[in-house]
Amino acid sequence: MLATLVVLALVGGAAVWYLLRQDDDPPPAAGPAAPSAAPTAEEDTPAAPTTAPTAPAPESSADPRFVKVGQCVRNEGPAGGKPKLLISPCGPKTYEVLRRFDGQTSGEKDAEAKCAKVTGYTNWYFFDSQLDTLDFVLCLKLR
């Protein structure tokens, strides 16, 4: 019986490790409200499904999943490509988070509609995963 439990624990650990290694980058994101040098992204194709993370990153992470209103992010993604936002100190060419909407999002149109109600926003970003409780929209202002 002990051998069976050890084997099950090893298989379970290997499965968790495999799932965590599947997607190290943030899922699909958003683009600007108007053309500019801001975060942009293309919609995911059906051939590239995203996996929901099984364990949260530590609070000290630069992952945008943990950004709060008033903090800033910078885009480390390629120009005109999929954005890769990282929490960073506020400064020139960073984006201040004006509003955060947690919960289910359906994508670009939803993000744009939510941020349209936020005064002063210049860009938006969304995280849409298979697990709707992890979804969020950020309304950003270019500094």
Side-chain angles (χ1 to χ4, degrees), residues 26-53:
S36 69
T40 60
E42 298 177 13
E43 292 182 310
D44 274 347
T45 60
T50 58
T51 353

PDB file of all heavy atoms in Angstrom, residues 26-53:
ATOM      1  N   PRO A  26       2.527  35.207 -19.901  1.00  0.00           N
ATOM      2  CA  PRO A  26       1.140  35.560 -19.647  1.00  0.00           C
ATOM      3  C   PRO A  26       0.291  35.245 -20.870  1.00  0.00           C
ATOM      4  O   PRO A  26       0.750  35.389 -21.995  1.00  0.00           O
ATOM      5  CB  PRO A  26       1.176  37.073 -19.406  1.00  0.00           C
ATOM      6  CG  PRO A  26       2.580  37.384 -19.058  1.00  0.00           C
ATOM      7  CD  PRO A  26       3.416  36.354 -19.747  1.00  0.00           C
ATOM      8  N   PRO A  27      -0.947  34.829 -20.687  1.00  0.00           N
ATOM      9  CA  PRO A  27      -1.847  34.532 -21.792  1.00  0.00           C
ATOM     10  C   PRO A  27      -2.155  35.761 -22.623  1.00  0.00           C
ATOM     11  O   PRO A  27      -1.672  36.841 -22.345  1.00  0.00           O
ATOM     12  CB  PRO A  27      -3.096  34.004 -21.095  1.00  0.00           C
ATOM     13  CG  PRO A  27      -2.619  33.514 -19.794  1.00  0.00           C
ATOM     14  CD  PRO A  27      -1.467  34.412 -19.429  1.00  0.00           C
ATOM     15  N   PRO A  28      -3.034  35.600 -23.627  1.00  0.00           N
ATOM     16  CA  PRO A  28      -3.333  36.667 -24.561  1.00  0.00           C
ATOM     17  C   PRO A  28      -3.645  37.964 -23.853  1.00  0.00           C
ATOM     18  O   PRO A  28      -4.193  37.971 -22.776  1.00  0.00           O
ATOM     19  CB  PRO A  28      -4.545  36.158 -25.323  1.00  0.00           C
ATOM     20  CG  PRO A  28      -5.096  35.059 -24.525  1.00  0.00           C
ATOM     21  CD  PRO A  28      -3.971  34.512 -23.710  1.00  0.00           C
ATOM     22  N   ALA A  29      -3.318  39.036 -24.514  1.00  0.00           N
ATOM     23  CA  ALA A  29      -3.509  40.321 -23.887  1.00  0.00           C
ATOM     24  C   ALA A  29      -4.205  41.277 -24.818  1.00  0.00           C
ATOM     25  O   ALA A  29      -4.824  40.882 -25.765  1.00  0.00           O
ATOM     26  CB  ALA A  29      -2.158  40.857 -23.464  1.00  0.00           C
ATOM     27  N   ALA A  30      -4.042  42.528 -24.552  1.00  0.00           N
ATOM     28  CA  ALA A  30      -4.836  43.532 -25.223  1.00  0.00           C
ATOM     29  C   ALA A  30      -3.995  44.462 -26.057  1.00  0.00           C
ATOM     30  O   ALA A  30      -2.796  44.343 -26.136  1.00  0.00           O
ATOM     31  CB  ALA A  30      -5.557  44.330 -24.158  1.00  0.00           C
ATOM     32  N   GLY A  31      -4.675  45.428 -26.601  1.00  0.00           N
ATOM     33  CA  GLY A  31      -4.011  46.426 -27.410  1.00  0.00           C
ATOM     34  C   GLY A  31      -4.452  47.804 -27.010  1.00  0.00           C
ATOM     35  O   GLY A  31      -5.207  47.983 -26.077  1.00  0.00           O
ATOM     36  N   PRO A  32      -3.968  48.791 -27.716  1.00  0.00           N
ATOM     37  CA  PRO A  32      -4.282  50.171 -27.373  1.00  0.00           C
ATOM     38  C   PRO A  32      -5.679  50.572 -27.799  1.00  0.00           C
ATOM     39  O   PRO A  32      -6.271  49.969 -28.665  1.00  0.00           O
ATOM     40  CB  PRO A  32      -3.231  50.953 -28.154  1.00  0.00           C
ATOM     41  CG  PRO A  32      -2.896  50.077 -29.301  1.00  0.00           C
ATOM     42  CD  PRO A  32      -3.038  48.659 -28.800  1.00  0.00           C
ATOM     43  N   ALA A  33      -6.175  51.621 -27.176  1.00  0.00           N
ATOM     44  CA  ALA A  33      -7.463  52.166 -27.559  1.00  0.00           C
ATOM     45  C   ALA A  33      -7.336  52.885 -28.890  1.00  0.00           C
ATOM     46  O   ALA A  33      -8.281  52.976 -29.650  1.00  0.00           O
ATOM     47  CB  ALA A  33      -7.962  53.125 -26.489  1.00  0.00           C
ATOM     48  N   ALA A  34      -6.162  53.407 -29.179  1.00  0.00           N
ATOM     49  CA  ALA A  34      -5.877  54.057 -30.446  1.00  0.00           C
ATOM     50  C   ALA A  34      -4.463  53.659 -30.840  1.00  0.00           C
ATOM     51  O   ALA A  34      -3.659  53.310 -29.992  1.00  0.00           O
ATOM     52  CB  ALA A  34      -5.978  55.572 -30.284  1.00  0.00           C
ATOM     53  N   PRO A  35      -4.130  53.717 -32.137  1.00  0.00           N
ATOM     54  CA  PRO A  35      -2.791  53.302 -32.532  1.00  0.00           C
ATOM     55  C   PRO A  35      -1.712  54.110 -31.819  1.00  0.00           C
ATOM     56  O   PRO A  35      -1.777  55.324 -31.772  1.00  0.00           O
ATOM     57  CB  PRO A  35      -2.760  53.574 -34.039  1.00  0.00           C
ATOM     58  CG  PRO A  35      -4.187  53.601 -34.459  1.00  0.00           C
ATOM     59  CD  PRO A  35      -4.961  54.077 -33.265  1.00  0.00           C
ATOM     60  N   SER A  36      -0.736  53.417 -31.229  1.00  0.00           N
ATOM     61  CA  SER A  36       0.387  54.052 -30.558  1.00  0.00           C
ATOM     62  C   SER A  36       1.424  52.995 -30.272  1.00  0.00           C
ATOM     63  O   SER A  36       1.231  51.838 -30.549  1.00  0.00           O
ATOM     64  CB  SER A  36      -0.062  54.728 -29.259  1.00  0.00           C
ATOM     65  OG  SER A  36      -0.420  53.753 -28.311  1.00  0.00           O
ATOM     66  N   ALA A  37       2.530  53.383 -29.659  1.00  0.00           N
ATOM     67  CA  ALA A  37       3.573  52.425 -29.288  1.00  0.00           C
ATOM     68  C   ALA A  37       3.226  51.837 -27.932  1.00  0.00           C
ATOM     69  O   ALA A  37       3.893  52.065 -26.949  1.00  0.00           O
ATOM     70  CB  ALA A  37       4.927  53.114 -29.252  1.00  0.00           C
ATOM     71  N   ALA A  38       2.141  51.099 -27.863  1.00  0.00           N
ATOM     72  CA  ALA A  38       1.636  50.555 -26.617  1.00  0.00           C
ATOM     73  C   ALA A  38       1.464  49.056 -26.746  1.00  0.00           C
ATOM     74  O   ALA A  38       1.616  48.510 -27.825  1.00  0.00           O
ATOM     75  CB  ALA A  38       0.297  51.218 -26.314  1.00  0.00           C
ATOM     76  N   PRO A  39       1.117  48.374 -25.664  1.00  0.00           N
ATOM     77  CA  PRO A  39       0.925  46.938 -25.749  1.00  0.00           C
ATOM     78  C   PRO A  39      -0.128  46.582 -26.790  1.00  0.00           C
ATOM     79  O   PRO A  39      -1.192  47.189 -26.829  1.00  0.00           O
ATOM     80  CB  PRO A  39       0.439  46.554 -24.349  1.00  0.00           C
ATOM     81  CG  PRO A  39       0.902  47.651 -23.469  1.00  0.00           C
ATOM     82  CD  PRO A  39       0.924  48.880 -24.320  1.00  0.00           C
ATOM     83  N   THR A  40       0.176  45.630 -27.645  1.00  0.00           N
ATOM     84  CA  THR A  40      -0.775  45.131 -28.626  1.00  0.00           C
ATOM     85  C   THR A  40      -0.663  43.627 -28.670  1.00  0.00           C
ATOM     86  O   THR A  40       0.321  43.057 -28.242  1.00  0.00           O
ATOM     87  CB  THR A  40      -0.500  45.690 -30.039  1.00  0.00           C
ATOM     88  OG1 THR A  40       0.818  45.286 -30.412  1.00  0.00           O
ATOM     89  CG2 THR A  40      -0.640  47.189 -30.094  1.00  0.00           C
ATOM     90  N   ALA A  41      -1.698  42.979 -29.195  1.00  0.00           N
ATOM     91  CA  ALA A  41      -1.651  41.519 -29.312  1.00  0.00           C
ATOM     92  C   ALA A  41      -2.594  41.068 -30.399  1.00  0.00           C
ATOM     93  O   ALA A  41      -3.526  41.752 -30.767  1.00  0.00           O
ATOM     94  CB  ALA A  41      -2.048  40.871 -27.996  1.00  0.00           C
ATOM     95  N   GLU A  42      -2.330  39.888 -30.883  1.00  0.00           N
ATOM     96  CA  GLU A  42      -3.225  39.258 -31.826  1.00  0.00           C
ATOM     97  C   GLU A  42      -3.993  38.216 -31.052  1.00  0.00           C
ATOM     98  O   GLU A  42      -3.517  37.660 -30.086  1.00  0.00           O
ATOM     99  CB  GLU A  42      -2.420  38.606 -32.942  1.00  0.00           C
ATOM    100  CG  GLU A  42      -1.618  39.626 -33.728  1.00  0.00           C
ATOM    101  CD  GLU A  42      -0.749  38.955 -34.789  1.00  0.00           C
ATOM    102  OE1 GLU A  42      -0.960  37.767 -35.066  1.00  0.00           O
ATOM    103  OE2 GLU A  42       0.116  39.625 -35.312  1.00  0.00           O
ATOM    104  N   GLU A  43      -5.218  37.912 -31.528  1.00  0.00           N
ATOM    105  CA  GLU A  43      -6.008  36.913 -30.841  1.00  0.00           C
ATOM    106  C   GLU A  43      -5.341  35.556 -30.981  1.00  0.00           C
ATOM    107  O   GLU A  43      -4.672  35.275 -31.962  1.00  0.00           O
ATOM    108  CB  GLU A  43      -7.410  36.863 -31.440  1.00  0.00           C
ATOM    109  CG  GLU A  43      -8.208  38.114 -31.159  1.00  0.00           C
ATOM    110  CD  GLU A  43      -9.595  38.030 -31.716  1.00  0.00           C
ATOM    111  OE1 GLU A  43      -9.731  37.701 -32.885  1.00  0.00           O
ATOM    112  OE2 GLU A  43     -10.529  38.291 -30.959  1.00  0.00           O
ATOM    113  N   ASP A  44      -5.533  34.714 -29.980  1.00  0.00           N
ATOM    114  CA  ASP A  44      -4.977  33.363 -30.039  1.00  0.00           C
ATOM    115  C   ASP A  44      -5.644  32.587 -31.170  1.00  0.00           C
ATOM    116  O   ASP A  44      -6.827  32.741 -31.436  1.00  0.00           O
ATOM    117  CB  ASP A  44      -5.244  32.613 -28.738  1.00  0.00           C
ATOM    118  CG  ASP A  44      -4.183  32.905 -27.707  1.00  0.00           C
ATOM    119  OD1 ASP A  44      -3.143  33.465 -28.055  1.00  0.00           O
ATOM    120  OD2 ASP A  44      -4.418  32.543 -26.567  1.00  0.00           O
ATOM    121  N   THR A  45      -4.878  31.762 -31.806  1.00  0.00           N
ATOM    122  CA  THR A  45      -5.434  30.886 -32.823  1.00  0.00           C
ATOM    123  C   THR A  45      -5.883  29.607 -32.141  1.00  0.00           C
ATOM    124  O   THR A  45      -5.357  29.240 -31.089  1.00  0.00           O
ATOM    125  CB  THR A  45      -4.371  30.561 -33.887  1.00  0.00           C
ATOM    126  OG1 THR A  45      -3.285  29.921 -33.234  1.00  0.00           O
ATOM    127  CG2 THR A  45      -3.906  31.810 -34.605  1.00  0.00           C
ATOM    128  N   PRO A  46      -6.838  28.863 -32.720  1.00  0.00           N
ATOM    129  CA  PRO A  46      -7.292  27.631 -32.103  1.00  0.00           C
ATOM    130  C   PRO A  46      -6.160  26.617 -31.898  1.00  0.00           C
ATOM    131  O   PRO A  46      -6.241  25.770 -31.048  1.00  0.00           O
ATOM    132  CB  PRO A  46      -8.330  27.081 -33.084  1.00  0.00           C
ATOM    133  CG  PRO A  46      -8.773  28.267 -33.875  1.00  0.00           C
ATOM    134  CD  PRO A  46      -7.603  29.207 -33.897  1.00  0.00           C
ATOM    135  N   ALA A  47      -5.085  26.711 -32.666  1.00  0.00           N
ATOM    136  CA  ALA A  47      -3.986  25.764 -32.540  1.00  0.00           C
ATOM    137  C   ALA A  47      -3.117  26.045 -31.327  1.00  0.00           C
ATOM    138  O   ALA A  47      -2.256  25.257 -31.000  1.00  0.00           O
ATOM    139  CB  ALA A  47      -3.132  25.795 -33.803  1.00  0.00           C
ATOM    140  N   ALA A  48      -3.324  27.179 -30.664  1.00  0.00           N
ATOM    141  CA  ALA A  48      -2.480  27.536 -29.522  1.00  0.00           C
ATOM    142  C   ALA A  48      -3.314  27.782 -28.266  1.00  0.00           C
ATOM    143  O   ALA A  48      -3.431  28.897 -27.802  1.00  0.00           O
ATOM    144  CB  ALA A  48      -1.659  28.781 -29.852  1.00  0.00           C
ATOM    145  N   PRO A  49      -3.943  26.734 -27.702  1.00  0.00           N
ATOM    146  CA  PRO A  49      -4.748  26.943 -26.503  1.00  0.00           C
ATOM    147  C   PRO A  49      -3.867  27.297 -25.317  1.00  0.00           C
ATOM    148  O   PRO A  49      -2.714  26.900 -25.244  1.00  0.00           O
ATOM    149  CB  PRO A  49      -5.443  25.592 -26.295  1.00  0.00           C
ATOM    150  CG  PRO A  49      -4.530  24.607 -26.935  1.00  0.00           C
ATOM    151  CD  PRO A  49      -3.880  25.343 -28.098  1.00  0.00           C
ATOM    152  N   THR A  50      -4.445  28.065 -24.389  1.00  0.00           N
ATOM    153  CA  THR A  50      -3.683  28.426 -23.190  1.00  0.00           C
ATOM    154  C   THR A  50      -4.106  27.519 -22.049  1.00  0.00           C
ATOM    155  O   THR A  50      -5.221  27.023 -22.010  1.00  0.00           O
ATOM    156  CB  THR A  50      -3.935  29.893 -22.794  1.00  0.00           C
ATOM    157  OG1 THR A  50      -5.323  30.059 -22.568  1.00  0.00           O
ATOM    158  CG2 THR A  50      -3.451  30.842 -23.857  1.00  0.00           C
ATOM    159  N   THR A  51      -3.212  27.311 -21.125  1.00  0.00           N
ATOM    160  CA  THR A  51      -3.503  26.501 -19.949  1.00  0.00           C
ATOM    161  C   THR A  51      -3.534  27.402 -18.730  1.00  0.00           C
ATOM    162  O   THR A  51      -2.705  28.283 -18.602  1.00  0.00           O
ATOM    163  CB  THR A  51      -2.403  25.443 -19.710  1.00  0.00           C
ATOM    164  OG1 THR A  51      -1.500  25.427 -20.769  1.00  0.00           O
ATOM    165  CG2 THR A  51      -2.994  24.084 -19.525  1.00  0.00           C
ATOM    166  N   ALA A  52      -4.477  27.157 -17.866  1.00  0.00           N
ATOM    167  CA  ALA A  52      -4.567  27.943 -16.646  1.00  0.00           C
ATOM    168  C   ALA A  52      -3.476  27.504 -15.682  1.00  0.00           C
ATOM    169  O   ALA A  52      -3.206  26.320 -15.550  1.00  0.00           O
ATOM    170  CB  ALA A  52      -5.940  27.749 -16.002  1.00  0.00           C
ATOM    171  N   PRO A  53      -2.828  28.450 -15.035  1.00  0.00           N
ATOM    172  CA  PRO A  53      -1.799  28.057 -14.077  1.00  0.00           C
ATOM    173  C   PRO A  53      -2.431  27.303 -12.915  1.00  0.00           C
ATOM    174  O   PRO A  53      -3.540  27.598 -12.508  1.00  0.00           O
ATOM    175  CB  PRO A  53      -1.196  29.375 -13.621  1.00  0.00           C
ATOM    176  CG  PRO A  53      -2.138  30.429 -14.042  1.00  0.00           C
ATOM    177  CD  PRO A  53      -2.989  29.872 -15.144  1.00  0.00           C
TER     178      PRO A  53
END
